[in-house]
Amino acid sequence: QVQLVESGGGLVQAGGSLRLACAASARTFGSYTTGWFRQAPGKEREFVAAIGWSADSTHYANSVKGRFTISRDNAKNTVYLQMNSLKPEDTAVYYCAVGPWISPQENRWDYWGQGTQVTVSS
């Protein structure tokens, strides 16, 4: 069982930055791939970014490529999502998840956090 807690969300103006963090409870966190998803009001949850357990592989949705950066610190059981050049369309609840491999499909991920709200004003 892995418990995930997201933090770092908030209200920011367009063009601004935020850094989200996902802290995990399990000592085995370092062996999991970790991903970020988001869900905007009235829309389905969508894949944002993911990072392999050793940080040697990353994958991004086209909509955030070049603006968002995912990283991890296994010593702190934490994965980060640095979000720059934020746009109003980035407004959503952001969730982190862990699983065995990188996949844009929700059902490939085993554990989920409760989410953190990100609101980007125009």
Side-chain angles (χ1 to χ4, degrees):
Q1 186 78 12
V2 179
Q3 292 183 326
L4 305 171
V5 178
E6 301 95 335
S7 62
L11 174 64
V12 64
Q13 288 188 333
S17 299
L18 283 174
R19 189 176 80 154
L20 305 183
C22 172
S25 61
R27 287 178 293 174
T28 55
F29 177 70
S31 63
Y32 284 99
T33 292
T34 306
W36 287 94
F37 287 72
R38 66 186 182 186
Q39 186 167 22
K43 295 187 177 181
E44 294 187 351
R45 191 152 55 182
E46 64 176 2
F47 172 80
V48 175
I51 186 167
W53 66 271
S54 65
D56 60 344
S57 62
T58 57
H59 187 73
Y60 297 91
N62 288 335
S63 59
V64 306
K65 201 171 293 185
R67 300 187 299 121
F68 291 10
T69 302
I70 190 170
S71 62
R72 69 188 301 153
D73 185 341
N74 288 340
K76 296 182 178 180
N77 281 2
T78 302
V79 168
Y80 303 96
L81 184 68
Q82 178 67 43
M83 306 186 296
N84 298 329
S85 301
L86 283 162
K87 305 174 181 180
E89 52 263 44
D90 294 318
T91 295
V93 177
Y94 284 71
Y95 300 88
C96 68
V98 297
W101 54 74
I102 292 177
S103 171
Q105 298 177 306
E106 280 189 67
N107 60 6
R108 299 292 187 177
W109 299 83
D110 298 328
Y111 301 101
W112 293 81
Q114 294 299 307
T116 185
Q117 176 71 47
V118 170
T119 303
V120 184
S121 63
S122 57

